[in-house]
Amino acid sequence: RKEVEQDPGPFNVPEGATVAFNCTYSNSASQSFFWYRQDCRKEPKLLMSVYSSGNEDGRFTAQLNRASQYISLLIRDSKLSDSATYLCVVNQRNYQLIWGAGTKLIIKP
Amino acid sequence: DTAVSQTPKYLVTQMGNDKSIKCEQNLGHDTMYWYKQDSKKFLKIMFSYNNKELIINETVPNRFSPKSPDKAHLNLHINSLELGDSAVYFCASSQDYPSYEQYFGPGTRLTVT
């Protein structure tokens, strides 16, 4: 089993819709969780951290489910500019980050 | 003003050659990283330097050698390039170590023919 797994997608979603995707991790001792965003042929950029109590930033909500070992990202009122690949990142050991392969999101007009 | 810059952006070379990729950050960060993103899009840490000192050295062939002349620079030299080295190489930096908020450069797309 991979340390961090994501559905590669693509998720094709109409503009204005709500979309959510998950990321599962294998190590129950994982401490910290993050979502990064990577546009096509660009570098990754930190989107948001995922706290135990959840985290909301505008249209984006990130949640952690430790019992089932997954984190989620929900995007409300999706915009064309939300089209990107969303990378799940988990801190599993020695503060090194383990990266998922990403979920590709395409927002259609 | 580019925060993390890499040169070159594209690199096409033949098997067996030796090449270098340069990275510079002007954020005043103490820690710099090299990542490799392969065709399957997995980002894998290769090296990390904190205050010019190597702190992470993942299982990477010793054909890859990082060098940090100062805190603002971390270069990657690759000897005897192989087809499997083709990937996008990202440099990143963070304020300190450990830090999860990393700032990435634009990437260097290496193609080995």
Side-chain angles (χ1 to χ4, degrees):
Chain A
R1 183 182 173 187
K2 290 178 186 158
E3 294 178 284
V4 177
E5 287 198 78
Q6 295 183 254
D7 183 336
F11 283 43
N12 291 285
V13 175
E15 191 176 8
T18 295
V19 60
F21 31 84
N22 294 337
C23 164
T24 59
Y25 59 94
S26 60
N27 189 336
S28 59
S30 297
Q31 298 289 325
S32 311
F33 311 87
F34 309 87
W35 285 103
Y36 272 70
R37 170 194 168 130
Q38 185 172 23
D39 291 319
C40 187
R41 302 178 79 86
K42 298 284 189 180
E43 71 274 19
K45 293 182 180 178
L46 179 64
L47 179 65
M48 59 197 308
S49 304
V50 187
Y51 306 125
S52 296
S53 57
N55 189 15
E56 187 172 320
D57 183 3
R59 298 180 294 107
F60 296 80
T61 300
Q63 292 195 313
L64 167 64
N65 185 319
R66 282 199 183 271
S68 301
Q69 293 183 208
Y70 72 87
I71 64 171
S72 63
L73 180 68
L74 182 142
I75 307 174
R76 288 182 297 277
D77 187 24
S78 52
K79 313 288 184 192
L80 295 176
S81 57
D82 294 334
S83 296
T85 296
Y86 290 84
L87 304 170
C88 167
V89 189
V90 176
N91 162 33
Q92 289 198 345
R93 62 185 187 279
N94 296 331
Y95 300 102
Q96 289 186 44
L97 302 183
I98 309 298
W99 296 73
T103 295
K104 187 171 184 177
L105 175 65
I106 301 172
I107 305 299
K108 302 199 170 219
Chain B
D1 289 341
T2 304
V4 183
S5 59
Q6 293 179 230
T7 54
K9 193 166 184 182
Y10 299 95
L11 184 53
V12 181
T13 188
Q14 291 184 329
M15 285 175 56
N17 285 348
D18 302 339
K19 291 293 178 185
S20 291
I21 307 171
K22 295 185 177 181
C23 177
E24 177 181 1
Q25 54 95 3
N26 62 8
L27 297 168
H29 287 171
D30 287 342
T31 306
M32 296 184 73
Y33 311 82
W34 275 111
Y35 284 89
K36 178 181 179 181
Q37 188 171 41
D38 60 26
S39 58
K40 295 183 179 178
K41 305 300 182 186
F42 281 104
L43 260 172
K44 292 183 182 176
I45 184 78
M46 300 175 70
F47 302 102
S48 178
Y49 271 74
N50 186 49
N51 281 317
K52 302 194 319 177
E53 195 173 319
L54 180 66
I55 51 173
I56 295 174
N57 184 357
E58 287 295 305
T59 305
V60 174
N62 57 16
R63 298 181 294 104
F64 291 79
S65 53
K67 281 189 180 171
S68 181
D70 54 59
K71 285 197 320 183
H73 296 84
L74 181 61
N75 304 323
L76 183 66
H77 188 76
I78 316 170
N79 288 326
S80 303
L81 278 155
E82 300 177 358
L83 292 176
D85 297 333
S86 295
V88 181
Y89 292 83
F90 285 102
C91 176
S93 73
S94 62
Q95 180 64 54
D96 47 29
Y97 182 82
S99 175
Y100 314 116
E101 186 168 1
Q102 299 182 10
Y103 295 81
F104 284 77
T108 295
R109 189 170 295 272
L110 171 65
T111 303
V112 182
T113 62

